[in-house]
Amino acid sequence: MRPAINCDMGEGFGLYRMGEDEELMPYITAANVACGFHAADPVVMARTVRLAKQHGVKVGAHPSLPDLQGFGRREMKMQPGELADCIIYQVGALKGFLDREGLKLSHVKPHGALYGMAARSPEIAEAVARAVKVFGVAVYGMAGTMHEKVYPAQGLEFVSEYYADLEYGDDGGVIITRVHEAVDPKRAAERALRAVRDGVAESVHGREVRVRADTICVHSDTPNAVAVARAVRDCLTEAKVHGGGTGS
Amino acid sequence: MRPAINCDMGEGFGLYRMGEDEELMPYITAANVACGFHAADPVVMARTVRLAKQHGVKVGAHPSLPDLQGFGRREMKMQPGELADCIIYQVGALKGFLDREGLKLSHVKPHGALYGMAARSPEIAEAVARAVKVFGVAVYGMAGTMHEKVYPAQGLEFVSEYYADLEYGDDGGVIITRVHEAVDPKRAAERALRAVRDGVAESVHGREVRVRADTICVHSDTPNAVAVARAVRDCLTEAKVHGGGTGS
Amino acid sequence: MRPAINCDMGEGFGLYRMGEDEELMPYITAANVACGFHAADPVVMARTVRLAKQHGVKVGAHPSLPDLQGFGRREMKMQPGELADCIIYQVGALKGFLDREGLKLSHVKPHGALYGMAARSPEIAEAVARAVKVFGVAVYGMAGTMHEKVYPAQGLEFVSEYYADLEYGDDGGVIITRVHEAVDPKRAAERALRAVRDGVAESVHGREVRVRADTICVHSDTPNAVAVARAVRDCLTEAKVHGGGTGS
Amino acid sequence: MRPAINCDMGEGFGLYRMGEDEELMPYITAANVACGFHAADPVVMARTVRLAKQHGVKVGAHPSLPDLQGFGRREMKMQPGELADCIIYQVGALKGFLDREGLKLSHVKPHGALYGMAARSPEIAEAVARAVKVFGVAVYGMAGTMHEKVYPAQGLEFVSEYYADLEYGDDGGVIITRVHEAVDPKRAAERALRAVRDGVAESVHGREVRVRADTICVHSDTPNAVAVARAVRDCLTEAKVHGGGTGS
């Protein structure tokens, strides 16, 4: 059994490239594929789904606020209803490409600012849940936030992820940044192992905080993402540790 | 049995309204719902699918070239592969809303310039066919064009439509315009009846041309669309004439 | 001298219409022209500028957050720098059309959520100010808010507007809504007169609040905007009252 | 005097990068800055204009068809009037950033498919000319095409460019490709020298064709663009050869 590692993928757009998707695929078990609202276009989505299929990697949807120019990392005040509709649109669009390849949708993982908003706001998390229920799959999110509280309450499977390439605050919450920086692969792998095995992370101020790592997330736009993914995979494989869920 | 009448619907965007969808629904049997590339957004699509469900109207996808500002009525040179991906994206997105409502996708009808390009170009028609095959539904189009030739050759059901509110050229082809003008409902209904029953239309220059009318199309952005749809429906009902197919 | 009345205009997009610009022009002195981020496209902007020229109406820019689908009425968390750049882009684009017609830019009036954000946040108001300083024109806004505090402090002329078709809160602040409702023209005109002459408005809860009305704003997407604009114009003309500034 | 070399710049978007603008600036004399329709956003434009200013590089506008996903390299059937409006919008927007930096607009160079369409169609070239006349600057284009015929006939200065990184057909026309490939810098430089000094290029089939090289173009998205630009600059400088015009 391979350690559960997920990665946001297909985040290019038109001629623009973002992330080394091909190089990352061998190390991961689940791809969260962008759906055109913060990144990706139909061609990129088609290519990414095909790539995941070739590597036997599960495909989840990675829907976003409608903000291509801001890469979905700027909060927008949207009504829960229109937000749910935006998510259904994006997940449905991705499913078209899965249908073509004969693949099933594995999960949904909200992107960027939407992820953060759903972590804090029960209203937003409920909107996410309402949309995901249409597709009956698991939701990836962060333990200790509204994700963990709302999604299961709405009858959805919740898969908690730990971010190998981001820092954590003293409250156990991940610190979202607009641009991702390179991290030390060895340190990232050791932190990931500790998160999966012990449920503990060290915060940016040196405090031990509780985390729950059913799956490890590596961002494809972290500059040295491949090295990080490989180090995490190797470290967890050697330790015979793997996360719990990567979706259905 | 009601006469087969289809209508392009859900063509508003944000606060913008286009077409009297609510008023039209009672008279039609199939709604071709815009998918966000020439018109519509997730909220509009959700509302339109719900509206069709309330009226027992079948829902097809109405995908377009990616050209919101031009309402999908400007030709774009796209490669067949990227075009097919664009269509899969849009149809998939619509299916998300159908899934929520427990409805099945009935058919696909390409919009505007894409419709015209597929009518003339076998390459484009094949790209449409490849995309629609993913969903296994019928395609609406125009007899005497590549639609009729290519779609069935690709194993797809082809449903030929007659436009109640557009003029026909001497070659039997419909004359696509960027803005739709009001037409006389009575004349439109009589023309529609003749098209369905006799397979004949009078061209803009007074010539009789062959048409095949499995279903009658009324554009929702024709200024008096409701009057036209009602007149066509009443005229065909009275004559006990109805078209053949409105999709699966 | 005509009473200073400004109106948001050119808020259609592609085939979509919004507001009766042609009917409104005779009653107003300043048009705030949408710049493509919440509404309008180059064709709409060109047409609107030409229309304003025909009626001898001053043209200001009406820049927005980048949110066409939300009509610029959803708040977005943007950094002040990127916001200023967005505004410069939009005002510059409008100036292209003014250059063609030999007209000068009169003023800038931020739209929708941007207007509201600048009213509350000194950081956002400063970003607006930095952008407008490039063009050296007046800014329209609301007295008693950061508009009044920040714009003049940045060396810009500030023109305070009173909204004829919106309600006011007990704090003297206008209540922004996503969709505008019809209002009674006569009541709107009397309120406008009182606002210009006496600097007083009645809040939604019946309290008298201070307002400063250098110019009266009528929204073009208020359903009966023409009747409101005419009533305001007639009422103020008869009372020989007109606002102070409509920009340079 | 430095040899006239122009480069398309500012072609990133949001977090996406395209081209090594900073590395290229030292070798060029004119930057054609993307205006948001095929690439760039307000932040990218602001940054690019500032960068050009630092290097004493002239700034021209690089307007496109409205096709961000296709990078402006797909032809679209647009009416001349709406095309002219699109160009005015984009050039105006860029001028906003030039105004802030106290720079003058140097020239306009249509991008991608628009460039190619204007080369072939007098109607499109006239639409470009009508738009550029608003700003009274030179137009970059290709000799032997409608560019050379129409722009001067409309009273505009025409600057003919030679592409250092593209191949030429037997008709002397450049071969536009959607993705640019790396080229041998030494060969590119020698070809550029010959183009400027002798007005001759070797076509892809080995024929000598006439070209007119007032300025040499290097695409910033050619993979080894910096090496090409440097080689061309060095080669022309050594030969004491420089093109004629780089705009006003």
Side-chain angles (χ1 to χ4, degrees), chain D residues 99 158 187 223:
Chain D
D99 284 351
F158 168 66
R187 177 172 173 268

Side-chain angles (χ1 to χ4, degrees), chain A residues 35 45 85 88-89 92 97 100, chain B residues 35 85 88-89 92 97 100:
Chain A
C35 301
M45 291 168 75
D85 290 344
I88 291 172
Y89 182 94
F97 298 104
R100 176 160 71 180
Chain B
C35 300
D85 290 343
I88 290 172
Y89 182 94
F97 298 103
R100 176 160 71 180

